[in-house]
Amino acid sequence: MSSISNYNFPDELGHFGKYGGRFIPETLYAPLKELENFYRKIKDTPEFLSELEYYHKEFTGRPTPLTFAENLTKHYGKAGIYFKREDLCHTGAHKINNAIGQMLIAMKMGKKRIIAETGAGQHGTAVATVCAKFGLHCTVYMGEKDIQRQAPNVARMKLLGASVVSVTSGSKTLKDATNEAIRDWVTHADDTHYIIGSAVGPHPYPMMVRDFQSVIGTETKEQLQQMTGKLPDYILACVGGGSNAIGIFYPFIKDESVRMIGVEAAGEGTETKKHAATIGKGSDGIFHGMRTYLIQDDKGQVVEPHSVSAGLDYPGVGPEHSYLYDIKRVQYVSVTDKEALASVKTISRTEGIIPALETAHALAYLEKFMAETKTGEIVVVNMSGRGDKDLSTIMNQLHIE
């Protein structure tokens, strides 16, 4: 392992080791540099932090609880299991943490229009929500396939006043929605801010999204210390682009006693071509303005990902995750669609919580992992979102009438 005690990434060029950076059309260089400079200037000022804290408390509902999962702990009979309840955030997922932060920056920069991309619809809903709250026009790009499987969130976005643009190119999922959002931004950068929803894209987005989501890990550390006087032994989180995972991991990176595990989507199995195991089966490449791990063929063409979860159906991963994998600070594993769906039923019936399909991937890994733990140890799982939006898919896949 490299010198974790000196961990201080990204560098001034936006690199996490060899990952990250800024691979963009020339027309986006100036707006990205403007965004980076503005963000670095205000991000640690007392005024900005106070404003952000106000909206977290009064609008988002933070701090979210850290809940002891008593029944699930008894079910496995090993380490104690705790849930960090991001599913209890306003709009139902961690995405609102980043949406509020970026919205405050956009307004201070004088932007009048907001665009976003979304897969599962949780980020799109969060952006539509903050646009309604602060009175800015909102356009959300979403793949046609995701619009069909995430209908409740599409309805929420429209009710909140957002324009939802159906993307019919490519796989009609998050990758293609992101492409369209970037095209929009290239031609409207003067008056438009693009709120990227995960810790991906060109610098400074991976850093900025991580910073706004790190409230998850900061709260977890404080709450667990108060409840048990200890740090967790293990932290589990699902990984698509990786915003909820980096949010809970980041404040613990220098705590080397804490083992951190990111759970990717194995889809129909990593031995097939239908998965989204970006780190597990991917390789180094350039995608959506960043250098990172992505799933690609031997000619460097991006391979269409697959996951039953729209939020994990993305062929790349945040560049900081790529670096943390290379230096072996975070372990990345994967579970299949079938395993994730089984965990939805288990968690719903043991803890009375219906998790999002994204979150269900992290929960499914408990089935493989808990036997390694010991009584007295502590496992924290980041409950990134609630499962209302996935009910149709869950009911169909589990053949529940």
Side-chain angles (χ1 to χ4, degrees):
M1 188 180 297
S2 68
S3 181
I4 292 299
S5 62
N6 295 323
Y7 190 92
N8 186 28
F9 290 98
D11 65 19
E12 62 182 14
L13 296 177
H15 293 134
F16 303 87
K18 66 179 180 180
Y19 303 106
R22 192 179 279 153
F23 299 86
I24 51 173
E26 188 174 347
T27 51
L28 286 181
Y29 182 83
L32 278 168
K33 192 64 183 174
E34 178 190 18
L35 176 61
E36 179 194 356
N37 290 341
F38 191 86
Y39 176 66
R40 288 189 185 279
K41 180 180 177 182
I42 72 163
K43 71 185 187 75
D44 295 322
T45 62
E47 294 79 10
F48 180 70
L49 293 175
S50 176
E51 190 175 17
L52 187 61
E53 183 179 3
Y54 171 81
Y55 286 110
H56 277 331
K57 181 180 179 182
E58 303 295 336
F59 191 66
T60 303
R62 305 206 71 86
T64 57
L66 182 69
T67 302
F68 177 52
E70 183 177 3
N71 295 333
L72 197 63
T73 297
K74 290 178 180 175
H75 173 76
Y76 287 112
K78 292 284 187 174
I81 300 170
Y82 291 76
F83 293 156
K84 181 56 176 167
R85 300 294 307 278
E86 294 302 291
D87 57 316
L88 295 181
C89 286
H90 179 42
T91 72
H94 69 292
K95 294 293 186 181
I96 193 77
N97 304 326
N98 169 58
I100 283 183
Q102 287 203 46
M103 174 58 86
L104 293 178
I105 289 175
M107 290 192 300
K108 293 177 187 303
M109 294 180 69
K111 303 298 183 182
K112 304 298 184 187
R113 176 174 177 263
I114 299 295
I115 61 171
E117 84 300 323
T118 195
Q122 291 298 80
H123 173 57
T125 300
V127 173
T129 297
V130 295
C131 284
K133 171 72 174 173
F134 295 106
L136 269 69
H137 184 271
C138 178
T139 299
V140 179
Y141 290 91
M142 191 170 189
E144 183 182 50
K145 179 180 174 182
D146 290 338
I147 286 177
Q148 293 171 357
R149 58 181 173 174
Q150 299 292 341
N153 271 339
V154 176
R156 293 166 77 191
M157 285 183 266
K158 290 181 177 178
L159 186 60
L160 288 159
S163 299
V164 180
V165 179
S166 176
V167 177
T168 58
S169 58
S171 60
K172 305 173 186 177
T173 60
L174 179 57
K175 169 177 72 69
D176 310 289
T178 304
N179 290 339
E180 289 304 317
I182 291 173
R183 290 190 185 101
D184 182 322
W185 197 35
V186 167
T187 53
H188 300 96
D190 287 346
D191 68 343
T192 298
H193 178 68
Y194 176 16
I195 299 185
I196 290 182
S198 196
V200 301
H203 181 60
Y205 280 105
M207 171 182 69
M208 196 162 57
V209 175
R210 176 202 67 191
D211 291 352
F212 289 136
Q213 293 294 0
S214 66
V215 67
I216 304 171
T218 299
E219 284 181 8
T220 299
K221 183 178 281 190
E222 293 173 356
Q223 291 167 322
L224 197 61
Q225 288 280 4
Q226 291 172 3
M227 295 168 74
T228 70
K230 298 171 58 177
L231 291 172
D233 296 283
Y234 313 94
I235 301 175
L236 273 64
C238 63
V239 176
S243 66
N244 92 92
I246 201 66
I248 195 166
F249 290 164
Y250 184 65
F252 291 94
I253 285 177
K254 295 180 182 178
D255 298 309
E256 297 190 50
S257 66
V258 181
R259 180 179 165 191
M260 299 189 288
I261 303 170
V263 185
E264 298 189 306
E268 295 183 5
T270 54
E271 74 282 4
T272 74
K273 293 183 179 180
K274 299 192 72 173
H275 64 79
T278 307
I279 291 179
K281 301 296 287 186
S283 55
D284 182 4
I286 307 295
F287 184 62
H288 284 163
M290 60 183 170
R291 182 173 181 178
T292 192
Y293 275 90
L294 66 147
I295 46 178
Q296 53 190 325
D297 62 22
D298 55 8
K299 296 179 181 177
Q301 297 299 308
V302 174
V303 173
E304 298 293 348
H306 164 79
S307 171
V308 70
S309 166
L312 302 183
D313 207 349
Y314 185 69
V317 67
E320 191 160 14
H321 285 290
S322 296
Y323 180 68
L324 292 171
Y325 168 72
D326 276 7
I327 65 172
K328 304 186 188 310
R329 180 64 189 97
V330 177
Q331 176 187 2
Y332 293 86
V333 299
S334 62
V335 301
T336 64
D337 290 347
K338 187 176 180 180
E339 290 167 329
L341 286 159
S343 80
V344 171
K345 185 182 286 187
T346 299
I347 304 305
S348 298
R349 297 183 179 183
T350 56
E351 291 295 340
I353 299 170
I354 301 172
L357 280 171
E358 291 86 347
T359 311
H361 284 70
L363 294 163
Y365 190 65
L366 292 174
E367 196 69 33
K368 303 178 179 180
F369 170 70
M370 287 303 293
E372 298 180 27
T373 70
K374 301 174 183 175
T375 301
E377 291 186 326
I378 294 172
V379 179
V380 174
V381 182
N382 194 24
M383 301 290 281
S384 57
R386 68 183 188 223
D388 313 37
K389 67 184 179 59
D390 296 317
L391 272 184
S392 177
T393 300
I394 292 168
M395 300 295 276
N396 287 333
Q397 292 284 332
L398 293 179
H399 306 295
I400 299 174
E401 296 182 352

